[in-house]
């Protein structure tokens, strides 16, 4: 790994970890609200497998936030996986199912920004975390 990544100040690692955890907690609340209001099939226009994936994020987002708050490297790894798959699922839903675009979907725009933040900071943060 690039040497200057080792010199990331610990306060940056802590701030990024808590920002990321906070974002995952927001995701948890959103997915739990969908589950409570609509059950496992919150989006009638989406295929069942996609609804189940989005429903599973209620648990995955919470687990990711807990691992990030506890300073676990697995939290950063899970955050990268969750954000990548969530962005892919939403991109598919937007372009493949709804035949819409990024400009018309503010939720997808926010998801792109959060994914870029998580993936962009992961290499700097991960090296400072425990197993």
């Amino acid at each position: 790994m690039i040497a200057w990544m080792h010199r990331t100040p610990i306060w940056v690692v802590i701030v990024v970890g808590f920002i990321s955890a906070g974002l995952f907690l927001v995701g948890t609340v959103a997915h739990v609200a969908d589950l409570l209001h609509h059950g496992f099939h919150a989006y009638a226009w989406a295929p069942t497998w996609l609804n189940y994936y989005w429903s599973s994020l209620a648990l995955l987002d919470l687990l990711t936030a807990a691992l990030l708050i506890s300073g676990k490297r697995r939290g950063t790894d899970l955050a990268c996986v969750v954000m990548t798959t969530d962005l892919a699922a939403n991109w598919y839903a937007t372009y493949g199912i709804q035949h819409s675009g990024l400009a018309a979907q503010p939720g997808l725009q926010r998801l792109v920004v959060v994914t870029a933040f998580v993936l962009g900071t992961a290499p700097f943060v991960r090296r400072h975390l425990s197993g």
Side-chain angles (χ1 to χ4, degrees), residues 61-130:
D61 283 354
L62 183 60
L63 177 61
T64 302
L67 289 170
L68 287 169
I69 290 169
S70 66
K72 300 295 182 188
R73 189 175 296 149
R74 291 182 301 261
T76 303
D77 297 342
L78 185 57
C80 291
V81 170
V82 167
M83 292 311 302
T84 301
T85 58
D86 193 15
L87 182 60
N90 279 277
W91 206 277
Y92 169 72
T94 297
Y95 287 95
I97 299 172
Q98 295 179 324
H99 306 292
S100 184
L102 182 62
Q105 300 290 333
L108 182 59
Q109 294 167 5
R110 288 188 296 273
L111 193 60
V112 168
V113 171
V114 172
T115 302
F117 175 76
V118 168
L119 296 178
T121 58
F124 302 98
V125 171
R126 189 178 189 284
R127 302 191 71 65
H128 297 281
L129 302 177
S130 64

Side-chain angles (χ1 to χ4, degrees), residues 10-64:
I10 195 67
W11 69 267
V12 171
V13 173
I14 293 168
V15 169
V16 167
F18 276 101
I19 289 171
S20 297
L23 292 168
F24 278 97
L25 290 173
V26 168
T28 300
V29 170
H31 293 293
V32 168
D34 282 346
L35 278 170
L36 293 175
H37 288 106
H38 307 288
F40 286 103
H41 212 312
Y43 303 97
W45 52 266
T48 301
W49 67 267
L50 197 50
N51 274 286
Y52 286 166
Y53 170 73
W54 284 325
S55 295
S56 75
L57 289 177
L59 180 61
L60 289 172
D61 283 354
L62 183 60
L63 177 61
T64 302

